Protein backbone atom coordinates (compact mmCIF):
# COMPACT_ATOMS: atom_id res chain seq x y z
CA UNK A 1 0.00 0.00 0.00
CA UNK A 2 1.81 3.09 -1.16
CA UNK A 3 -0.75 5.83 -0.45
CA UNK A 4 -2.52 6.43 2.83
CA UNK A 5 -4.63 9.47 3.57
CA UNK A 6 -4.01 11.32 6.79
CA UNK A 7 -4.54 14.93 7.68
CA UNK A 8 -2.35 17.46 9.51
CA UNK A 9 -3.20 15.66 12.77
CA UNK A 10 -1.81 12.45 11.27
CA UNK A 11 -4.92 10.36 11.77
CA UNK A 12 -5.84 7.41 9.59
CA UNK A 13 -9.50 6.51 9.13
CA UNK A 14 -10.13 2.78 9.35
CA UNK A 15 -13.65 1.64 8.54
CA UNK A 16 -12.79 -2.07 8.43
CA UNK A 17 -14.50 -2.80 5.12
CA UNK A 18 -13.27 -6.00 3.52
CA UNK A 19 -10.62 -4.50 1.16
CA UNK A 20 -9.16 -2.49 4.04
CA UNK A 21 -8.69 -5.59 6.18
CA UNK A 22 -6.81 -7.67 3.62
CA UNK A 23 -3.55 -9.31 4.68
CA UNK A 24 -1.52 -6.75 2.72
CA UNK A 25 -3.39 -3.76 4.18
CA UNK A 26 -3.32 -5.16 7.72
CA UNK A 27 0.40 -5.87 7.52
CA UNK A 28 1.14 -2.38 6.18
CA UNK A 29 -0.94 -0.74 8.90
CA UNK A 30 0.83 -2.77 11.60
CA UNK A 31 4.25 -1.84 10.21
CA UNK A 32 3.36 1.87 10.06
CA UNK A 33 1.10 2.16 13.11
CA UNK A 34 3.53 4.47 14.90
CA UNK A 35 3.32 6.99 12.03
CA UNK A 36 -0.27 8.04 12.75
CA UNK A 37 -3.20 7.63 15.13
CA UNK A 38 -5.92 5.23 13.98
CA UNK A 39 -9.47 6.52 13.85
CA UNK A 40 -11.78 3.51 13.87
CA UNK A 41 -15.38 3.94 12.78
CA UNK A 42 -18.23 1.56 12.24
CA UNK A 43 -17.65 -0.72 9.20
CA UNK A 44 -19.14 0.74 6.04
CA UNK A 45 -20.13 3.85 7.96
CA UNK A 46 -22.07 6.23 5.74
CA UNK A 47 -20.96 9.05 8.07
CA UNK A 48 -17.41 8.79 6.81
CA UNK A 49 -18.02 7.75 3.24
CA UNK A 50 -18.55 10.73 0.95
CA UNK A 51 -19.81 8.51 -1.88
CA UNK A 52 -22.94 7.48 0.04
CA UNK A 53 -24.87 10.76 -0.32
CA UNK A 54 -23.86 10.83 -4.00
CA UNK A 55 -25.32 7.35 -4.56
CA UNK A 56 -28.51 8.32 -2.72
CA UNK A 57 -28.93 11.50 -4.79
CA UNK A 58 -28.38 9.66 -8.07
CA UNK A 59 -30.69 6.83 -7.04
CA UNK A 60 -33.51 9.24 -6.11
CA UNK A 61 -33.18 11.12 -9.40
CA UNK A 62 -33.16 7.91 -11.49
CA UNK A 63 -36.15 6.45 -9.61
CA UNK A 64 -38.21 9.55 -10.45
CA UNK A 65 -37.70 9.07 -14.20
CA UNK A 66 -40.69 8.14 -16.28
CA UNK A 67 -40.43 5.69 -17.80
CA UNK A 68 -37.83 4.05 -15.58
CA UNK A 69 -34.64 2.75 -17.21
CA UNK A 70 -35.41 -0.57 -18.87
CA UNK A 71 -31.95 -1.75 -19.89
CA UNK A 72 -28.44 -1.45 -18.44
CA UNK A 73 -27.66 1.15 -21.14
CA UNK A 74 -30.77 3.14 -20.17
CA UNK A 75 -29.64 3.03 -16.54
CA UNK A 76 -26.17 4.22 -17.50
CA UNK A 77 -27.64 7.10 -19.47
CA UNK A 78 -29.99 8.00 -16.61
CA UNK A 79 -27.09 8.01 -14.11
CA UNK A 80 -24.96 10.15 -16.41
CA UNK A 81 -27.83 12.59 -16.92
CA UNK A 82 -28.44 12.73 -13.18
CA UNK A 83 -24.77 13.40 -12.53
CA UNK A 84 -24.68 16.20 -15.10
CA UNK A 85 -27.66 17.87 -13.39
CA UNK A 86 -25.70 18.30 -10.13
CA UNK A 87 -24.58 21.89 -9.48
CA UNK A 88 -20.88 22.69 -10.01
CA UNK A 89 -20.10 22.96 -6.27
CA UNK A 90 -21.87 19.71 -5.32
CA UNK A 91 -18.73 17.67 -4.57
CA UNK A 92 -16.98 20.55 -2.82
CA UNK A 93 -19.97 20.98 -0.53
CA UNK A 94 -19.75 17.30 0.45
CA UNK A 95 -15.99 17.51 1.00
CA UNK A 96 -16.44 20.63 3.12
CA UNK A 97 -18.75 18.70 5.48
CA UNK A 98 -16.06 16.14 6.36
CA UNK A 99 -14.46 18.02 9.30
CA UNK A 100 -17.90 18.45 10.86
CA UNK A 101 -18.73 14.78 10.22
CA UNK A 102 -15.53 13.60 11.87
CA UNK A 103 -15.99 15.90 14.87
CA UNK A 104 -19.59 14.80 15.28
CA UNK A 105 -18.71 11.12 15.09
CA UNK A 106 -15.85 11.53 17.56
CA UNK A 107 -18.16 13.27 20.03
CA UNK A 108 -21.08 10.88 19.65
CA UNK A 109 -19.34 7.53 19.11
CA UNK A 110 -22.71 6.06 18.19
CA UNK A 111 -24.61 5.32 14.99
CA UNK A 112 -24.88 7.46 11.85
CA UNK A 113 -25.61 11.17 12.15
CA UNK A 114 -27.65 13.48 9.91
CA UNK A 115 -25.91 16.51 8.43
Amino acid sequence: MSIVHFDEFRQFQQDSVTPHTSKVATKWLQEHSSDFRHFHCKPKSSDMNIIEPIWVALQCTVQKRAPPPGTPMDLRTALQDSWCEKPPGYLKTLVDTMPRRVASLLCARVGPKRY
Side-chain angles (χ1 to χ4, degrees), residues 29-48:
L29 288 169
Q30 288 171 346
E31 291 172 356
H32 295 86
S33 64
S34 63
D35 295 342
F36 47 85
R37 190 177 120 212
H38 285 93
F39 170 65
H40 294 277
C41 60
K42 188 170 97 176
K44 300 177 184 171
S45 173
S46 59
D47 292 324
M48 297 293 107

Side-chain angles (χ1 to χ4, degrees), residues 40-105:
H40 294 277
C41 60
K42 188 170 97 176
K44 300 177 184 171
S45 173
S46 59
D47 292 324
M48 297 293 107
N49 189 345
I50 201 168
I51 195 71
E52 293 302 324
I54 295 169
W55 282 124
V56 170
L58 292 177
Q59 180 181 15
C60 287
T61 305
V62 169
Q63 286 177 340
K64 291 176 184 176
R65 289 176 72 101
T71 67
M73 191 54 149
D74 290 344
L75 178 59
R76 179 181 177 163
T77 300
L79 287 169
Q80 287 174 333
D81 291 349
S82 298
W83 180 252
C84 290
E85 292 170 6
K86 297 295 172 217
Y90 180 66
L91 289 178
K92 183 174 180 345
T93 301
L94 291 174
V95 169
D96 290 346
T97 67
M98 288 309 295
R100 191 177 69 231
R101 289 173 184 237
V102 171
S104 178
L105 193 66

Side-chain angles (χ1 to χ4, degrees), residues 12-23:
F12 178 74
Q13 178 185 324
Q14 173 58 285
D15 58 4
S16 300
V17 294
T18 305
H20 301 163
T21 57
S22 69
K23 289 179 184 179

